Amino acid sequence: MSVETLHALNLNRPGGPRLRKAFFVVWMLDLVATTQLFLVPYARELNPITVLFYESIGLTGVVLAAVSYAGIIVGLGYVLSKPFDVSFVTAVVSCYAFFASNNFALLLFRKSLVETPVL
C-alpha cells in the first residue's frame, strides 16, 4: 500500500470537533436513557431493532444496537461530500438530542415530549 493510497483512505472527518463531541455526548445520553427504558415497567422502547437485540441478548444488545447505529452514522459522515457531511451530522445530532430528551422525559414524567402539548 503506497502513501498516496493510505492518504486517500484517511477521509476528511465531518464537521468540526465541537460537532463531533456533540454527537458523542447526545449519543451517550440516548444510550443511557434507552437502557433505562428497558429497566422500568412503565416505558417501552419504540425502535424495533433495539427491542429485537434486547430480546435476543439482553442489555448488551441495547449497547450493541447503539454502537451499530453510531458506526453507520459516522461511516456515512465520512463518505458524504463536504457540504452534505456537516449537514448530515448536524441533523443526526439534532435527532439524537430530541430522542434522548424524549426518553428522559418519558423516564422522569412518564409522558413523552410528543404527548406534551406545546404552547
Side-chain angles (χ1 to χ4, degrees):
M1 182 179 276
S2 70
V3 174
E4 291 175 15
T5 307
L6 186 59
H7 181 66
L9 291 176
N10 187 13
L11 300 172
N12 210 2
R13 297 186 336 187
R18 291 179 66 197
L19 183 60
R20 290 191 299 273
K21 286 178 188 174
F23 171 74
F24 177 73
V25 168
V26 295
W27 173 81
M28 187 60 99
L29 289 172
D30 188 47
L31 172 62
V32 169
T34 302
T35 303
Q36 296 301 313
L37 285 177
F38 288 100
L39 301 177
V40 297
Y42 58 84
R44 177 95 171 125
E45 170 64 31
L46 297 177
N47 187 329
I49 296 172
T50 304
V51 171
L52 176 70
F53 277 43
Y54 174 75
E55 290 172 350
S56 299
I57 53 179
L59 288 177
T60 306
V62 176
V63 175
L64 180 63
V67 169
S68 300
Y69 300 146
I72 291 168
I73 290 165
V74 169
L76 283 173
Y78 276 101
V79 173
L80 294 172
S81 61
K82 193 62 172 169
F84 295 112
D85 62 351
V86 176
S87 300
F88 174 73
V89 174
T90 302
V92 168
V93 167
S94 300
C95 288
Y96 266 124
F98 172 74
F99 295 142
S101 301
N102 187 51
N103 288 348
F104 277 110
L106 186 59
L107 288 168
L108 294 175
F109 307 115
R110 296 184 182 207
K111 191 176 249 190
S112 72
L113 294 177
V114 178
E115 296 172 356
T116 308
V118 178
L119 298 175

